[in-house]
Amino acid sequence: MGLAFLPDGSALVSERNTARIKRIAGGTVTIIGTVPGVAPGGEGGLLGIAVAPTFASDRLVYAYFTGANDNRVVRMPFNTTLGTPQVIVSGIPRANIHDGGRMAFGPDGMLYIATGDANIRTNAQSMTSLGGKILRVTPTGAAAPGNPVAGNRVYSRGHRNVQGLAFDSAGRLWAGEFGQNTWDELNQIRAGGNYGWPTVEGRTTDTRFVNPVAQWTPAQASPSGIAFTRNTVWLAALRGQRLWGVPVLNGGPDGNPVGFLNAQFGRFRTVATAPDGSLWLITNNTDGRGTPRTGDDRILRLVF
């Protein structure tokens, strides 16, 4: 499930298996369209969603989804309903697991896209594969100017399965990443950085790789969506069934991570900062990996 906000403060939510996008405004939920070409299965389906920073003038909404042969990114006009999608990035490796799928527009106006290694570990290090990467593209899908390799969409590599992207108040990019069996990670993303997978998982003394800012065992975290507000990176934890808060300062840790809502609502898939400063959390207990509770799945709104 993806979550993004429109300039008017209403929210768009994408559903992985139904391929529907819903708008939430003033407590009212409306289906605004179904994205064609989505082929759900395993961890694939309709995944990330993003709203163009130029939405007021172009009305564009972006979606990342698993198709029959690849993962891809499309953009669609939205007025009262979704218009015809235009493919802007295709050829991202797909599989039953490790499909990535988060997207975020940066303060530079470029679109950042998190991809998984599609369960082929060598994808993560290969500069010719779009899998296991964070991509940086223009709003039309071309390799963004100033990327580490001119004409290449790859911004960072060595990722297993990034499912959370967020920018902090200084414009730094943060990513939450699923580990294999040992360490999940929170990383501060640098242009051209190599984050080690599959050679290493978690912190290392190998200077070829960028170390995570924080790490957890998968049972404590399995981080999905992330958000930033109040000098803190917030991570929605699936297996960990909590909201992790990691205080940061100047791109590094500023205290120990703290868990909130531990086991109170089950698995958390998505967290996002709303225009009013609140945090919105989406539970994910009905996908076969959790224990559904009455009312699941639900959206929670947290006010500081």
Side-chain angles (χ1 to χ4, degrees):
M1 287 174 279
L3 173 63
F5 291 91
L6 294 167
D8 64 5
S10 62
L12 298 181
V13 177
S14 60
E15 294 182 336
R16 182 173 69 186
N17 292 332
T18 68
R20 297 183 303 191
I21 296 179
K22 296 178 176 179
R23 179 173 178 252
I24 302 173
T28 300
V29 180
T30 305
I31 298 171
I32 63 169
T34 300
V35 179
V38 177
E43 296 175 358
L46 179 58
L47 301 174
I49 188 170
V51 174
T54 52
F55 181 84
S57 59
D58 59 27
R59 310 292 296 182
L60 288 173
V61 173
Y62 289 69
Y64 180 117
F65 69 84
T66 309
N69 301 306
D70 62 0
N71 284 298
R72 50 184 49 200
V73 177
V74 298
R75 65 179 190 173
M76 305 158 283
F78 167 61
N79 289 294
T80 55
T81 59
L82 291 176
T84 302
Q86 172 195 10
V87 178
I88 65 164
V89 179
S90 59
I92 301 169
R94 62 149 290 166
N96 202 48
I97 57 175
H98 302 184
D99 287 294
R102 296 292 182 184
M103 299 185 296
F105 275 96
D108 56 3
M110 299 297 111
L111 180 63
Y112 293 75
I113 304 166
T115 73
D117 69 4
N119 204 28
I120 299 174
R121 295 184 175 195
T122 53
N123 282 340
Q125 291 295 327
S126 170
M127 290 295 289
T128 61
S129 171
L130 297 180
K133 308 293 191 304
I134 293 174
L135 311 178
R136 177 175 175 264
V137 303
T138 68
T140 57
N147 274 4
V149 177
N152 193 312
R153 294 182 172 110
V154 174
Y155 188 70
S156 65
R157 61 180 170 141
H159 300 290
R160 180 175 179 267
N161 193 23
V162 172
Q163 288 193 11
L165 291 177
F167 286 89
D168 66 20
S169 55
R172 289 178 289 254
L173 178 60
W174 298 84
E177 181 158 355
F178 283 80
Q180 175 72 32
N181 297 310
T182 309
W183 297 114
D184 293 331
E185 301 175 358
L186 171 65
N187 287 300
Q188 201 264 297
I189 302 301
R190 307 172 188 169
N194 188 333
Y195 290 80
W197 179 255
T199 305
V200 297
E201 184 179 344
R203 296 190 180 103
T204 178
T205 57
D206 191 327
T207 57
R208 293 176 298 170
F209 307 124
V210 182
N211 273 328
V213 171
Q215 61 184 30
W216 301 263
T217 64
Q220 292 176 305
S222 298
S224 192
I226 72 172
F228 179 86
T229 189
R230 300 173 70 92
N231 297 318
T232 303
V233 179
W234 303 91
L235 297 92
L238 290 164
R239 284 184 62 190
Q241 297 190 31
R242 71 197 76 182
L243 176 67
W244 282 107
V246 183
V248 296
L249 179 67
N250 298 325
D254 188 32
N256 294 323
V258 179
F260 298 88
L261 306 176
N262 296 7
Q264 292 184 41
F265 297 96
R267 292 155 52 88
F268 289 126
R269 171 66 65 179
T270 301
V271 61
T273 305
D276 64 2
S278 63
L279 284 179
W280 285 33
L281 272 167
I282 301 181
T283 67
N284 194 191
N285 297 315
T286 61
D287 66 349
R289 296 182 178 182
T291 302
R293 303 153 191 238
T294 301
D296 279 341
D297 276 317
R298 67 186 78 189
I299 295 176
L300 310 177
R301 179 175 176 265
L302 308 181
V303 180
F304 293 95

mmCIF file of all heavy atoms in Angstrom, residues 208-257:
data_model
loop_
_atom_site.group_PDB
_atom_site.id
_atom_site.type_symbol
_atom_site.label_atom_id
_atom_site.label_comp_id
_atom_site.label_asym_id
_atom_site.label_seq_id
_atom_site.Cartn_x
_atom_site.Cartn_y
_atom_site.Cartn_z
ATOM 1 N N ARG A 208 34.439 -0.013 1.033
ATOM 2 C CA ARG A 208 33.767 0.132 -0.261
ATOM 3 C C ARG A 208 32.286 0.457 -0.082
ATOM 4 O O ARG A 208 31.647 0.948 -1.009
ATOM 5 C CB ARG A 208 33.897 -1.164 -1.079
ATOM 6 C CG ARG A 208 35.296 -1.508 -1.538
ATOM 7 C CD ARG A 208 35.286 -2.859 -2.238
ATOM 8 N NE ARG A 208 34.855 -3.939 -1.344
ATOM 9 C CZ ARG A 208 34.574 -5.181 -1.755
ATOM 10 N NH1 ARG A 208 34.650 -5.482 -3.047
ATOM 11 N NH2 ARG A 208 34.199 -6.107 -0.879
ATOM 12 N N PHE A 209 31.757 0.184 1.117
ATOM 13 C CA PHE A 209 30.321 0.252 1.319
ATOM 14 C C PHE A 209 29.949 1.286 2.370
ATOM 15 O O PHE A 209 30.717 1.561 3.293
ATOM 16 C CB PHE A 209 29.786 -1.121 1.735
ATOM 17 C CG PHE A 209 30.179 -2.228 0.788
ATOM 18 C CD1 PHE A 209 30.859 -3.344 1.247
ATOM 19 C CD2 PHE A 209 29.879 -2.138 -0.558
ATOM 20 C CE1 PHE A 209 31.232 -4.356 0.383
ATOM 21 C CE2 PHE A 209 30.246 -3.151 -1.438
ATOM 22 C CZ PHE A 209 30.921 -4.258 -0.967
ATOM 23 N N VAL A 210 28.738 1.859 2.215
ATOM 24 C CA VAL A 210 28.209 2.848 3.152
ATOM 25 C C VAL A 210 27.492 2.122 4.285
ATOM 26 O O VAL A 210 26.618 1.285 4.045
ATOM 27 C CB VAL A 210 27.236 3.807 2.455
ATOM 28 C CG1 VAL A 210 26.729 4.858 3.444
ATOM 29 C CG2 VAL A 210 27.895 4.474 1.255
ATOM 30 N N ASN A 211 27.853 2.454 5.521
ATOM 31 C CA ASN A 211 27.218 1.812 6.663
ATOM 32 C C ASN A 211 25.855 2.419 6.975
ATOM 33 O O ASN A 211 25.636 3.621 6.765
ATOM 34 C CB ASN A 211 28.103 1.943 7.902
ATOM 35 C CG ASN A 211 29.122 0.829 8.011
ATOM 36 O OD1 ASN A 211 28.870 -0.293 7.586
ATOM 37 N ND2 ASN A 211 30.278 1.130 8.593
ATOM 38 N N PRO A 212 24.929 1.607 7.488
ATOM 39 C CA PRO A 212 23.624 2.136 7.885
ATOM 40 C C PRO A 212 23.735 3.056 9.095
ATOM 41 O O PRO A 212 24.650 2.922 9.914
ATOM 42 C CB PRO A 212 22.817 0.882 8.216
ATOM 43 C CG PRO A 212 23.834 -0.167 8.542
ATOM 44 C CD PRO A 212 25.027 0.150 7.685
ATOM 45 N N VAL A 213 22.785 3.969 9.205
ATOM 46 C CA VAL A 213 22.704 4.848 10.371
ATOM 47 C C VAL A 213 22.163 4.083 11.568
ATOM 48 O O VAL A 213 22.559 4.324 12.716
ATOM 49 C CB VAL A 213 21.811 6.062 10.047
ATOM 50 C CG1 VAL A 213 21.514 6.888 11.290
ATOM 51 C CG2 VAL A 213 22.479 6.929 8.984
ATOM 52 N N ALA A 214 21.264 3.149 11.317
ATOM 53 C CA ALA A 214 20.708 2.297 12.371
ATOM 54 C C ALA A 214 20.413 0.935 11.776
ATOM 55 O O ALA A 214 20.206 0.804 10.562
ATOM 56 C CB ALA A 214 19.442 2.914 12.962
ATOM 57 N N GLN A 215 20.405 -0.096 12.629
ATOM 58 C CA GLN A 215 20.098 -1.435 12.157
ATOM 59 C C GLN A 215 19.354 -2.208 13.246
ATOM 60 O O GLN A 215 19.482 -1.925 14.434
ATOM 61 C CB GLN A 215 21.365 -2.193 11.733
ATOM 62 C CG GLN A 215 22.386 -2.408 12.841
ATOM 63 C CD GLN A 215 23.657 -3.081 12.331
ATOM 64 O OE1 GLN A 215 24.064 -2.916 11.178
ATOM 65 N NE2 GLN A 215 24.285 -3.867 13.188
ATOM 66 N N TRP A 216 18.535 -3.156 12.801
ATOM 67 C CA TRP A 216 17.735 -3.986 13.687
ATOM 68 C C TRP A 216 17.728 -5.414 13.152
ATOM 69 O O TRP A 216 17.910 -5.636 11.956
ATOM 70 C CB TRP A 216 16.271 -3.528 13.718
ATOM 71 C CG TRP A 216 16.016 -2.135 14.154
ATOM 72 C CD1 TRP A 216 15.657 -1.707 15.403
ATOM 73 C CD2 TRP A 216 16.045 -0.949 13.339
ATOM 74 N NE1 TRP A 216 15.470 -0.348 15.420
ATOM 75 C CE2 TRP A 216 15.697 0.148 14.167
ATOM 76 C CE3 TRP A 216 16.324 -0.709 11.992
ATOM 77 C CZ2 TRP A 216 15.627 1.455 13.692
ATOM 78 C CZ3 TRP A 216 16.263 0.582 11.510
ATOM 79 C CH2 TRP A 216 15.921 1.650 12.356
ATOM 80 N N THR A 217 17.429 -6.375 14.005
ATOM 81 C CA THR A 217 17.150 -7.711 13.502
ATOM 82 C C THR A 217 15.804 -7.671 12.783
ATOM 83 O O THR A 217 14.934 -6.858 13.118
ATOM 84 C CB THR A 217 17.081 -8.731 14.643
ATOM 85 O OG1 THR A 217 15.981 -8.408 15.497
ATOM 86 C CG2 THR A 217 18.371 -8.741 15.455
ATOM 87 N N PRO A 218 15.580 -8.546 11.792
ATOM 88 C CA PRO A 218 14.302 -8.544 11.083
ATOM 89 C C PRO A 218 13.095 -8.734 11.999
ATOM 90 O O PRO A 218 12.022 -8.186 11.725
ATOM 91 C CB PRO A 218 14.454 -9.698 10.097
ATOM 92 C CG PRO A 218 15.925 -9.742 9.804
ATOM 93 C CD PRO A 218 16.575 -9.426 11.126
ATOM 94 N N ALA A 219 13.249 -9.491 13.086
ATOM 95 C CA ALA A 219 12.129 -9.690 14.008
ATOM 96 C C ALA A 219 11.745 -8.401 14.717
ATOM 97 O O ALA A 219 10.592 -8.221 15.110
ATOM 98 C CB ALA A 219 12.484 -10.761 15.038
ATOM 99 N N GLN A 220 12.690 -7.471 14.860
ATOM 100 C CA GLN A 220 12.408 -6.195 15.510
ATOM 101 C C GLN A 220 11.812 -5.176 14.545
ATOM 102 O O GLN A 220 11.149 -4.233 14.966
ATOM 103 C CB GLN A 220 13.695 -5.599 16.090
ATOM 104 C CG GLN A 220 14.298 -6.360 17.251
ATOM 105 C CD GLN A 220 15.614 -5.730 17.675
ATOM 106 O OE1 GLN A 220 16.530 -5.567 16.860
ATOM 107 N NE2 GLN A 220 15.710 -5.359 18.929
ATOM 108 N N ALA A 221 12.075 -5.349 13.259
ATOM 109 C CA ALA A 221 11.710 -4.284 12.316
ATOM 110 C C ALA A 221 11.025 -4.817 11.073
ATOM 111 O O ALA A 221 9.808 -4.836 10.986
ATOM 112 C CB ALA A 221 12.944 -3.467 11.955
ATOM 113 N N SER A 222 11.777 -5.254 10.063
ATOM 114 C CA SER A 222 11.247 -5.456 8.705
ATOM 115 C C SER A 222 10.585 -4.159 8.258
ATOM 116 O O SER A 222 9.367 -4.070 8.110
ATOM 117 C CB SER A 222 10.262 -6.630 8.662
ATOM 118 O OG SER A 222 10.908 -7.827 9.014
ATOM 119 N N PRO A 223 11.406 -3.111 8.039
ATOM 120 C CA PRO A 223 10.860 -1.768 7.816
ATOM 121 C C PRO A 223 10.262 -1.605 6.425
ATOM 122 O O PRO A 223 10.845 -1.996 5.429
ATOM 123 C CB PRO A 223 12.088 -0.873 7.994
ATOM 124 C CG PRO A 223 13.234 -1.732 7.554
ATOM 125 C CD PRO A 223 12.871 -3.128 7.964
ATOM 126 N N SER A 224 9.089 -1.005 6.387
ATOM 127 C CA SER A 224 8.455 -0.717 5.110
ATOM 128 C C SER A 224 8.485 0.790 4.900
ATOM 129 O O SER A 224 9.561 1.376 4.758
ATOM 130 C CB SER A 224 7.044 -1.293 5.072
ATOM 131 O OG SER A 224 6.520 -1.259 3.767
ATOM 132 N N GLY A 225 7.350 1.477 4.924
ATOM 133 C CA GLY A 225 7.377 2.914 4.665
ATOM 134 C C GLY A 225 8.131 3.697 5.717
ATOM 135 O O GLY A 225 8.229 3.271 6.875
ATOM 136 N N ILE A 226 8.685 4.852 5.329
ATOM 137 C CA ILE A 226 9.322 5.750 6.288
ATOM 138 C C ILE A 226 8.876 7.188 6.012
ATOM 139 O O ILE A 226 8.394 7.514 4.929
ATOM 140 C CB ILE A 226 10.865 5.644 6.283
ATOM 141 C CG1 ILE A 226 11.467 6.272 5.026
ATOM 142 C CG2 ILE A 226 11.311 4.203 6.419
ATOM 143 C CD1 ILE A 226 12.990 6.349 5.091
ATOM 144 N N ALA A 227 9.032 8.016 7.030
ATOM 145 C CA ALA A 227 8.656 9.427 6.933
ATOM 146 C C ALA A 227 9.622 10.233 7.789
ATOM 147 O O ALA A 227 10.334 9.689 8.640
ATOM 148 C CB ALA A 227 7.219 9.633 7.403
ATOM 149 N N PHE A 228 9.621 11.555 7.576
ATOM 150 C CA PHE A 228 10.472 12.435 8.377
ATOM 151 C C PHE A 228 9.648 13.595 8.907
ATOM 152 O O PHE A 228 8.897 14.239 8.164
ATOM 153 C CB PHE A 228 11.649 12.979 7.554
ATOM 154 C CG PHE A 228 12.530 13.918 8.354
ATOM 155 C CD1 PHE A 228 13.554 13.423 9.136
ATOM 156 C CD2 PHE A 228 12.299 15.284 8.340
ATOM 157 C CE1 PHE A 228 14.347 14.276 9.891
ATOM 158 C CE2 PHE A 228 13.086 16.150 9.094
ATOM 159 C CZ PHE A 228 14.112 15.642 9.873
ATOM 160 N N THR A 229 9.791 13.865 10.188
ATOM 161 C CA THR A 229 9.265 15.078 10.806
ATOM 162 C C THR A 229 9.868 15.216 12.193
ATOM 163 O O THR A 229 10.287 14.231 12.798
ATOM 164 C CB THR A 229 7.720 15.061 10.892
ATOM 165 O OG1 THR A 229 7.259 16.347 11.305
ATOM 166 C CG2 THR A 229 7.215 14.019 11.873
ATOM 167 N N ARG A 230 9.961 16.444 12.689
ATOM 168 C CA ARG A 230 10.436 16.739 14.045
ATOM 169 C C ARG A 230 11.815 16.131 14.315
ATOM 170 O O ARG A 230 12.053 15.527 15.355
ATOM 171 C CB ARG A 230 9.419 16.257 15.078
ATOM 172 C CG ARG A 230 8.052 16.921 14.937
ATOM 173 C CD ARG A 230 7.024 16.307 15.846
ATOM 174 N NE ARG A 230 7.289 16.622 17.244
ATOM 175 C CZ ARG A 230 6.779 17.662 17.901
ATOM 176 N NH1 ARG A 230 5.980 18.517 17.264
ATOM 177 N NH2 ARG A 230 7.052 17.859 19.166
ATOM 178 N N ASN A 231 12.733 16.291 13.322
ATOM 179 C CA ASN A 231 14.114 15.806 13.444
ATOM 180 C C ASN A 231 14.178 14.306 13.718
ATOM 181 O O ASN A 231 15.111 13.820 14.377
ATOM 182 C CB ASN A 231 14.873 16.564 14.536
ATOM 183 C CG ASN A 231 15.005 18.032 14.222
ATOM 184 O OD1 ASN A 231 15.272 18.411 13.074
ATOM 185 N ND2 ASN A 231 14.810 18.889 15.213
ATOM 186 N N THR A 232 13.210 13.577 13.212
ATOM 187 C CA THR A 232 13.137 12.139 13.439
ATOM 188 C C THR A 232 12.730 11.431 12.160
ATOM 189 O O THR A 232 11.839 11.894 11.447
ATOM 190 C CB THR A 232 12.108 11.816 14.544
ATOM 191 O OG1 THR A 232 12.468 12.515 15.748
ATOM 192 C CG2 THR A 232 12.050 10.322 14.837
ATOM 193 N N VAL A 233 13.416 10.318 11.876
ATOM 194 C CA VAL A 233 12.982 9.417 10.810
ATOM 195 C C VAL A 233 12.089 8.359 11.451
ATOM 196 O O VAL A 233 12.468 7.723 12.439
ATOM 197 C CB VAL A 233 14.174 8.754 10.104
ATOM 198 C CG1 VAL A 233 13.682 7.804 9.016
ATOM 199 C CG2 VAL A 233 15.097 9.799 9.485
ATOM 200 N N TRP A 234 10.898 8.182 10.882
ATOM 201 C CA TRP A 234 9.918 7.227 11.398
ATOM 202 C C TRP A 234 9.818 6.054 10.437
ATOM 203 O O TRP A 234 9.694 6.237 9.230
ATOM 204 C CB TRP A 234 8.559 7.894 11.542
ATOM 205 C CG TRP A 234 8.601 9.114 12.422
ATOM 206 C CD1 TRP A 234 8.817 10.408 12.040
ATOM 207 C CD2 TRP A 234 8.454 9.145 13.846
ATOM 208 N NE1 TRP A 234 8.801 11.240 13.130
ATOM 209 C CE2 TRP A 234 8.577 10.500 14.257
ATOM 210 C CE3 TRP A 234 8.209 8.170 14.814
ATOM 211 C CZ2 TRP A 234 8.480 10.887 15.591
ATOM 212 C CZ3 TRP A 234 8.112 8.552 16.137
ATOM 213 C CH2 TRP A 234 8.246 9.891 16.520
ATOM 214 N N LEU A 235 9.894 4.836 10.983
ATOM 215 C CA LEU A 235 9.847 3.628 10.155
ATOM 216 C C LEU A 235 8.674 2.759 10.583
ATOM 217 O O LEU A 235 8.523 2.433 11.768
ATOM 218 C CB LEU A 235 11.137 2.810 10.285
ATOM 219 C CG LEU A 235 12.442 3.455 9.818
ATOM 220 C CD1 LEU A 235 13.124 4.162 10.984
ATOM 221 C CD2 LEU A 235 13.385 2.404 9.240
ATOM 222 N N ALA A 236 7.842 2.379 9.616
ATOM 223 C CA ALA A 236 6.736 1.466 9.856
ATOM 224 C C ALA A 236 7.271 0.039 9.794
ATOM 225 O O ALA A 236 7.779 -0.392 8.764
ATOM 226 C CB ALA A 236 5.649 1.675 8.801
ATOM 227 N N ALA A 237 7.157 -0.690 10.896
ATOM 228 C CA ALA A 237 7.737 -2.029 10.991
ATOM 229 C C ALA A 237 6.662 -3.100 10.835
ATOM 230 O O ALA A 237 5.626 -3.056 11.508
ATOM 231 C CB ALA A 237 8.457 -2.201 12.325
ATOM 232 N N LEU A 238 6.923 -4.070 9.968
ATOM 233 C CA LEU A 238 6.002 -5.165 9.719
ATOM 234 C C LEU A 238 6.155 -6.249 10.784
ATOM 235 O O LEU A 238 5.347 -6.349 11.698
ATOM 236 C CB LEU A 238 6.218 -5.721 8.308
ATOM 237 C CG LEU A 238 5.760 -4.782 7.191
ATOM 238 C CD1 LEU A 238 6.346 -5.183 5.851
ATOM 239 C CD2 LEU A 238 4.236 -4.779 7.106
ATOM 240 N N ARG A 239 7.200 -7.044 10.713
ATOM 241 C CA ARG A 239 7.389 -8.083 11.736
ATOM 242 C C ARG A 239 7.539 -7.482 13.125
ATOM 243 O O ARG A 239 7.087 -8.056 14.107
ATOM 244 C CB ARG A 239 8.620 -8.940 11.412
ATOM 245 C CG ARG A 239 8.414 -9.944 10.303
ATOM 246 C CD ARG A 239 9.647 -10.809 10.106
ATOM 247 N NE ARG A 239 9.966 -11.605 11.294
ATOM 248 C CZ ARG A 239 11.095 -12.285 11.450
ATOM 249 N NH1 ARG A 239 12.026 -12.240 10.488
ATOM 250 N NH2 ARG A 239 11.304 -12.987 12.537
ATOM 251 N N GLY A 240 8.180 -6.323 13.216
ATOM 252 C CA GLY A 240 8.384 -5.680 14.506
ATOM 253 C C GLY A 240 7.117 -5.108 15.116
ATOM 254 O O GLY A 240 7.078 -4.807 16.317
ATOM 255 N N GLN A 241 6.069 -4.918 14.299
ATOM 256 C CA GLN A 241 4.761 -4.459 14.760
ATOM 257 C C GLN A 241 4.857 -3.210 15.650
ATOM 258 O O GLN A 241 4.275 -3.145 16.727
ATOM 259 C CB GLN A 241 4.021 -5.584 15.505
ATOM 260 C CG GLN A 241 3.722 -6.782 14.636
ATOM 261 C CD GLN A 241 2.794 -7.780 15.306
ATOM 262 O OE1 GLN A 241 1.937 -7.418 16.105
ATOM 263 N NE2 GLN A 241 2.959 -9.045 14.976
ATOM 264 N N ARG A 242 5.593 -2.226 15.156
ATOM 265 C CA ARG A 242 5.735 -0.974 15.898
ATOM 266 C C ARG A 242 6.148 0.131 14.934
ATOM 267 O O ARG A 242 6.495 -0.110 13.787
ATOM 268 C CB ARG A 242 6.761 -1.122 17.020
ATOM 269 C CG ARG A 242 8.211 -1.232 16.552
ATOM 270 C CD ARG A 242 9.124 -1.786 17.622
ATOM 271 N NE ARG A 242 8.937 -3.226 17.760
ATOM 272 C CZ ARG A 242 9.584 -3.967 18.659
ATOM 273 N NH1 ARG A 242 10.411 -3.403 19.526
ATOM 274 N NH2 ARG A 242 9.379 -5.271 18.708
ATOM 275 N N LEU A 243 6.100 1.330 15.445
ATOM 276 C CA LEU A 243 6.607 2.495 14.724
ATOM 277 C C LEU A 243 7.923 2.886 15.371
ATOM 278 O O LEU A 243 7.967 3.276 16.548
ATOM 279 C CB LEU A 243 5.601 3.650 14.807
ATOM 280 C CG LEU A 243 6.037 4.977 14.186
ATOM 281 C CD1 LEU A 243 6.165 4.846 12.667
ATOM 282 C CD2 LEU A 243 5.047 6.085 14.542
ATOM 283 N N TRP A 244 9.011 2.765 14.620
ATOM 284 C CA TRP A 244 10.323 3.154 15.123
ATOM 285 C C TRP A 244 10.557 4.640 14.872
ATOM 286 O O TRP A 244 10.294 5.128 13.767
ATOM 287 C CB TRP A 244 11.433 2.363 14.440
ATOM 288 C CG TRP A 244 11.620 0.967 14.946
ATOM 289 C CD1 TRP A 244 11.275 -0.195 14.306
ATOM 290 C CD2 TRP A 244 12.206 0.574 16.186
ATOM 291 N NE1 TRP A 244 11.610 -1.282 15.076
ATOM 292 C CE2 TRP A 244 12.187 -0.843 16.230
ATOM 293 C CE3 TRP A 244 12.751 1.282 17.267
ATOM 294 C CZ2 TRP A 244 12.687 -1.563 17.320
ATOM 295 C CZ3 TRP A 244 13.244 0.565 18.349
ATOM 296 C CH2 TRP A 244 13.213 -0.833 18.375
ATOM 297 N N GLY A 245 11.052 5.335 15.877
ATOM 298 C CA GLY A 245 11.480 6.715 15.727
ATOM 299 C C GLY A 245 12.985 6.799 15.915
ATOM 300 O O GLY A 245 13.509 6.358 16.940
ATOM 301 N N VAL A 246 13.683 7.317 14.913
ATOM 302 C CA VAL A 246 15.146 7.437 14.965
ATOM 303 C C VAL A 246 15.502 8.918 14.931
ATOM 304 O O VAL A 246 15.405 9.563 13.876
ATOM 305 C CB VAL A 246 15.826 6.704 13.786
ATOM 306 C CG1 VAL A 246 17.347 6.790 13.909
ATOM 307 C CG2 VAL A 246 15.370 5.251 13.718
ATOM 308 N N PRO A 247 15.908 9.504 16.066
ATOM 309 C CA PRO A 247 16.292 10.922 16.055
ATOM 310 C C PRO A 247 17.585 11.110 15.276
ATOM 311 O O PRO A 247 18.535 10.332 15.429
ATOM 312 C CB PRO A 247 16.481 11.248 17.542
ATOM 313 C CG PRO A 247 16.739 9.934 18.202
ATOM 314 C CD PRO A 247 16.018 8.899 17.402
ATOM 315 N N VAL A 248 17.624 12.118 14.407
ATOM 316 C CA VAL A 248 18.801 12.348 13.570
ATOM 317 C C VAL A 248 19.192 13.817 13.619
ATOM 318 O O VAL A 248 18.366 14.704 13.862
ATOM 319 C CB VAL A 248 18.568 11.908 12.112
ATOM 320 C CG1 VAL A 248 18.347 10.411 12.017
ATOM 321 C CG2 VAL A 248 17.391 12.651 11.496
ATOM 322 N N LEU A 249 20.469 14.055 13.388
ATOM 323 C CA LEU A 249 21.010 15.409 13.351
ATOM 324 C C LEU A 249 22.120 15.440 12.323
ATOM 325 O O LEU A 249 23.053 14.624 12.383
ATOM 326 C CB LEU A 249 21.546 15.816 14.733
ATOM 327 C CG LEU A 249 22.165 17.210 14.858
ATOM 328 C CD1 LEU A 249 21.094 18.281 14.661
ATOM 329 C CD2 LEU A 249 22.833 17.380 16.214
ATOM 330 N N ASN A 250 22.023 16.354 11.354
ATOM 331 C CA ASN A 250 23.051 16.500 10.317
ATOM 332 C C ASN A 250 23.352 15.189 9.597
ATOM 333 O O ASN A 250 24.506 14.878 9.301
ATOM 334 C CB ASN A 250 24.331 17.086 10.918
ATOM 335 C CG ASN A 250 24.123 18.468 11.491
ATOM 336 O OD1 ASN A 250 23.338 19.260 10.963
ATOM 337 N ND2 ASN A 250 24.808 18.766 12.589
ATOM 338 N N GLY A 251 22.314 14.403 9.348
ATOM 339 C CA GLY A 251 22.489 13.184 8.582
ATOM 340 C C GLY A 251 22.954 11.987 9.372
ATOM 341 O O GLY A 251 23.211 10.929 8.801
ATOM 342 N N GLY A 252 23.051 12.101 10.696
ATOM 343 C CA GLY A 252 23.492 10.991 11.527
ATOM 344 C C GLY A 252 22.590 10.799 12.724
ATOM 345 O O GLY A 252 21.705 11.621 12.989
ATOM 346 N N PRO A 253 22.802 9.731 13.490
ATOM 347 C CA PRO A 253 21.950 9.470 14.650
ATOM 348 C C PRO A 253 22.160 10.496 15.744
ATOM 349 O O PRO A 253 23.262 10.993 15.948
ATOM 350 C CB PRO A 253 22.390 8.074 15.099
ATOM 351 C CG PRO A 253 23.789 7.928 14.585
ATOM 352 C CD PRO A 253 23.832 8.703 13.304
ATOM 353 N N ASP A 254 21.089 10.811 16.459
ATOM 354 C CA ASP A 254 21.129 11.770 17.555
ATOM 355 C C ASP A 254 20.405 11.179 18.767
ATOM 356 O O ASP A 254 19.520 11.791 19.353
ATOM 357 C CB ASP A 254 20.475 13.089 17.129
ATOM 358 C CG ASP A 254 20.661 14.196 18.163
ATOM 359 O OD1 ASP A 254 21.696 14.208 18.844
ATOM 360 O OD2 ASP A 254 19.743 15.030 18.293
ATOM 361 N N GLY A 255 20.776 9.961 19.094
ATOM 362 C CA GLY A 255 20.130 9.224 20.181
ATOM 363 C C GLY A 255 19.716 7.852 19.695
ATOM 364 O O GLY A 255 19.857 7.518 18.511
ATOM 365 N N ASN A 256 19.199 7.045 20.592
ATOM 366 C CA ASN A 256 18.836 5.678 20.269
ATOM 367 C C ASN A 256 17.426 5.606 19.654
ATOM 368 O O ASN A 256 16.548 6.384 20.015
ATOM 369 C CB ASN A 256 18.873 4.810 21.526
ATOM 370 C CG ASN A 256 20.267 4.671 22.083
ATOM 371 O OD1 ASN A 256 21.237 4.585 21.334
ATOM 372 N ND2 ASN A 256 20.390 4.658 23.402
ATOM 373 N N PRO A 257 17.208 4.657 18.741
ATOM 374 C CA PRO A 257 15.852 4.446 18.213
ATOM 375 C C PRO A 257 14.879 4.086 19.333
ATOM 376 O O PRO A 257 15.246 3.413 20.306
ATOM 377 C CB PRO A 257 16.033 3.277 17.245
ATOM 378 C CG PRO A 257 17.485 3.300 16.871
ATOM 379 C CD PRO A 257 18.199 3.772 18.094
#
